[in-house]
Amino acid sequence: MFYHLLYIVYCLFLTAVFIYITKKYLNVKIKIIEFVLLLFSLIVIHFVLFIIYRNLIYNLFVLPIIIILLLISIIDNKEFIIPDTLNLLIFIILLILSILSINNITPKIFFNTFDIIVSIVFLLLISLIIYLINKKVEVMGFGDIKLLFSIFLIGIFKLLLVIFISCFIACIIEGLFFSLKRKIIPFGPYLSIGIIIVLVFSKIFNLIFTFF
């Protein structure tokens, strides 16, 4: 119980950092109700992670990634850019998690080295294809590609799952709320949702993938 109280304080700290950054550097003011909802969401995610993994160290690293992804969502939706610094932070945190998982300290992030190599090759091919297509018409920003590169350590299966979930959610939201009329669609928020879902339910997806 004591550890959970510490993590609630940790969630409060992460929420405060998020609000400080959004207000000072993004000129976005967070209302009190939004603060409460964000804090409540982080606390719920913490307990969901604990129920699934029973590993508090995993929570320690996943929760900051969620905050960074929320920042990316706001910035991309407002400015249509994804800062390289935030992508780098996600990569560093996932790298630490990967090292810890190799030593069986945290749950498994990827299946094996081949899984990671395939994800890198896949992303390089996607980058080349998008580069060639963007010469005629812009279909996807390279900020989105960099965000995908920052999570390549999760392996090809979960990387493809992130892309599928993101595209599925984007189609629903853009279709329902924007009637697919927006000329430029910030894809960062949708990728962020996909990444969060995959990180939170990574263990379940691992069990599913082992059957294939």
Side-chain angles (χ1 to χ4, degrees):
M1 185 64 183
F2 174 72
Y3 291 109
H4 291 304
L5 289 174
L6 283 179
Y7 268 85
I8 289 174
V9 174
Y10 182 52
C11 290
L12 180 62
F13 169 74
L14 290 174
T15 306
V17 170
F18 172 79
I19 290 174
Y20 173 77
I21 293 174
T22 52
K23 184 178 180 180
K24 184 169 183 178
Y25 297 102
L26 305 178
N27 199 27
V28 175
K29 293 183 180 179
I30 304 294
K31 297 177 183 178
I32 294 177
I33 185 65
E34 292 172 330
F35 169 82
V36 174
L37 284 173
L38 176 58
L39 177 60
F40 178 74
S41 299
L42 280 180
I43 293 172
V44 169
I45 290 172
H46 159 68
F47 281 105
V48 169
L49 287 170
F50 182 75
I51 290 170
I52 295 174
Y53 299 100
R54 299 285 174 176
N55 190 299
L56 290 172
I57 297 177
Y58 186 72
N59 294 26
L60 187 69
F61 291 97
V62 171
L63 292 175
I65 291 178
I66 292 173
I67 288 294
I68 295 170
L69 290 169
L70 289 174
L71 284 172
I72 286 174
S73 299
I74 292 176
I75 296 170
D76 194 32
N77 195 56
K78 185 180 179 183
E79 306 289 344
F80 297 102
I81 59 169
I82 298 177
D84 292 337
T85 307
L86 297 181
N87 286 332
L88 181 61
L89 280 173
I90 292 175
F91 170 73
I92 291 172
I93 295 173
L94 279 177
L95 179 62
I96 296 171
L97 266 178
S98 299
I99 294 171
L100 292 174
S101 69
I102 291 172
N103 292 282
N104 297 318
I105 298 174
T106 58
K108 187 184 291 184
I109 300 296
F110 55 88
F111 287 107
N112 48 50
T113 307
F114 179 74
D115 191 27
I116 295 176
I117 293 172
V118 174
S119 70
I120 295 173
V121 173
F122 171 77
L123 287 172
L124 289 173
L125 287 173
I126 290 293
S127 301
L128 178 61
I129 292 170
I130 289 176
Y131 172 75
L132 294 173
I133 295 175
N134 279 358
K135 284 185 175 182
K136 296 182 179 180
V137 56
E138 187 170 345
V139 294
M140 191 176 191
F142 276 97
D144 301 321
I145 296 297
K146 290 176 184 177
L147 178 55
L148 288 173
F149 264 107
S150 74
I151 62 164
F152 77 87
L153 287 170
I154 65 175
I156 185 61
F157 297 109
K158 280 183 271 189
L159 189 65
L160 291 172
L161 189 59
V162 165
I163 295 172
F164 172 77
I165 293 172
S166 303
C167 292
F168 180 75
I169 294 174
C171 288
I172 293 175
I173 293 178
E174 293 296 325
L176 290 177
F177 298 101
F178 300 102
S179 300
L180 300 174
K181 292 179 179 178
R182 291 203 290 182
K183 292 182 179 180
I184 302 176
I185 298 174
F187 201 58
Y190 301 119
L191 281 176
S192 297
I193 294 172
I195 294 169
I196 290 172
I197 290 172
V198 169
L199 286 178
V200 171
F201 300 102
S202 179
K203 184 177 181 179
I204 296 172
F205 293 131
N206 281 344
L207 291 173
I208 294 172
F209 291 142
T210 45
F211 287 105
F212 297 96

